[in-house]
């Protein structure tokens, strides 16, 4: 009996020793896991700290680069975006980096306008019914008010602002004579477009085509102008899209023709059109054409009494109280876009504004909507 008891005791002790070793092993493993977690946490902390420090360095470096290159940006803008024949007429405003003078008005350089805390939503009312609208302060580069300003629409004949801008940058001799082609007349007729009334074989000057494109919204003039500038409408449209890219608008704007005929791939936003208008206003020749209320094409054998062209929008809005003077404008209409217009105004306090609207139900509604918007600031 004694030997058996001794064996049981020994077994018990061995079990206790084994349990003790197991407890010690578990304690050691827990300590190792704790140390490993602390090491991982410390590593992550150091990594985050390094990323934050590097991020701050990049921000500081970026700000320094911006400050150092502001003058270079202005110089590049003048070199690339202003026709060579007009560069002497564009002055950088002292102590105002990024500003240029357009006539007697100061414009912010570049073609990007921003919303601020003061930008308001243009409300729909009895006095403002256009579906799309934007009002831009061209002197500060800010969007004063907007309504669906970044939604895609068809620009209709507002497209011709881009047409004359691109043509002005390609054509030097405004007095060169052009013979109206069968192709231009047929294009206008086949697409049921508005036209100046040029006839096949008629000889006109290039400047007549510019005025005909804007004042009469003539597809015959716009098409012939495109052919003068690039040899074909297809080649000219490529230049138009290239210009959109230069203006930084190619992500949201694209054209398929120089007239504004509806096409699902022919589109922009009213914001884009405001930037196109800004570029056109900064071009002296485009600004002159777009500010003409009337223009007379001299008498010819085809038109012995000449032709008088008229900017319908400018002649009618001049009698309205807009809080300033509307100097330039181009209207447009296709069923898909409704009545639309892009205009440029100098307010009574000399602030230059760009206003673009679209989706009005009539031409008079379009005028009244713009009057209402100009009186909002």
């Amino acid at each position: 009996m004694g030997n058996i008891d001794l064996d049981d005791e020994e077994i018990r002790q061995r079990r206790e020793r084994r349990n003790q070793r197991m407890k010690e092993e578990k304690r050691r493993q827990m300590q190792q896991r704790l140390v490993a977690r602390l090491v991982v946490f410390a590593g992550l902390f150091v990594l985050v700290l390094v990323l934050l420090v590097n991020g701050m360095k990049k921000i500081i470096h970026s700000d320094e680069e911006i400050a150092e290159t502001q003058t270079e940006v202005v110089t590049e803008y003048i070199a690339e975006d202003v026709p060579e024949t007009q560069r002497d007429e564009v002055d950088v405003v002292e102590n105002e980096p990024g500003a240029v003078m357009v006539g007697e008005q100061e414009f912010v350089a570049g073609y990007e306008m921003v919303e601020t805390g003061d930008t308001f939503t243009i409300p729909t009312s009895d006095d403002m019914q256009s579906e799309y609208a934007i009002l831009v302060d061209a002197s500060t580069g800010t969007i004063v008010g907007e309504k669906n300003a970044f939604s895609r629409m068809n620009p209709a004949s507002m497209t011709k602002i881009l047409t004359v801008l691109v043509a002005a940058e390609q054509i030097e001799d405004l007095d060169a004579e052009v013979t109206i082609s069968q192709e231009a007349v047929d294009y206008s007729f086949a697409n049921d477009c508005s036209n100046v009334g040029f006839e096949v074989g008629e000889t006109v000057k290039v400047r007549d085509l510019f005025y005909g494109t804007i004042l009469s919204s003539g597809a015959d003039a716009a098409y012939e102008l495109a052919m003068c500038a690039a040899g074909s409408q297809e080649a000219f449209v490529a230049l138009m899209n290239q210009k959109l890219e230069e203006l930084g608008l190619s992500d949201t704007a694209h054209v398929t023709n120089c007239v504004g005929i509806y096409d699902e791939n022919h589109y922009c936003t009213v914001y884009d059109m405001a930037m196109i208008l800004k570029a056109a206003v900064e071009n002296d020749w485009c600004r002159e054409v777009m500010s003409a209320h009337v223009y007379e094409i001299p008498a010819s054998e085809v038109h012995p009494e000449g032709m008088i062209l008229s900017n319908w929008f400018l002649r009618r809005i001049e009698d309205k109280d807009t809080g300033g003077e509307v100097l330039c404008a181009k209207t447009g209409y296709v069923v898909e876009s409704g009545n639309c217009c892009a205009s440029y105004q100098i307010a009574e306090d000399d602030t230059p504004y760009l206003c673009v609207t679209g989706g009005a139900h009539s031409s008079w509604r379009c005028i009244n909507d713009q009057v209402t918007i100009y009186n909002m600031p």
Side-chain angles (χ1 to χ4, degrees), residues 155-169:
S157 282
M158 291 190 298
T159 301
K160 296 185 178 81
I161 300 174
L162 182 59
T163 299
V164 295
L165 173 61
V166 173
E169 294 177 347

Side-chain angles (χ1 to χ4, degrees), residues 264-329:
E264 63 179 8
N265 292 316
H266 188 99
Y267 55 81
C268 72
T269 67
V270 290
Y271 170 88
D272 297 332
M273 187 52 63
M275 297 305 96
I276 294 168
L277 176 61
K278 180 177 184 291
V281 169
E282 290 173 354
N283 181 293
D284 288 347
W285 172 237
C286 290
R287 187 171 70 253
E288 180 178 334
V289 172
M290 294 183 63
S291 64
H293 288 224
V294 294
Y295 175 76
E296 184 174 356
I297 297 178
S300 66
E301 292 184 3
V302 178
H303 295 96
E305 296 182 358
M307 289 191 288
I308 297 178
L309 314 183
S310 178
N311 189 317
W312 187 91
F313 184 92
L314 286 180
R315 293 187 64 187
R316 284 157 178 77
I317 202 171
E318 66 182 348
D319 296 326
K320 305 285 186 178
D321 181 12
T322 62
E325 182 181 4
V326 178
L327 299 179
C328 301

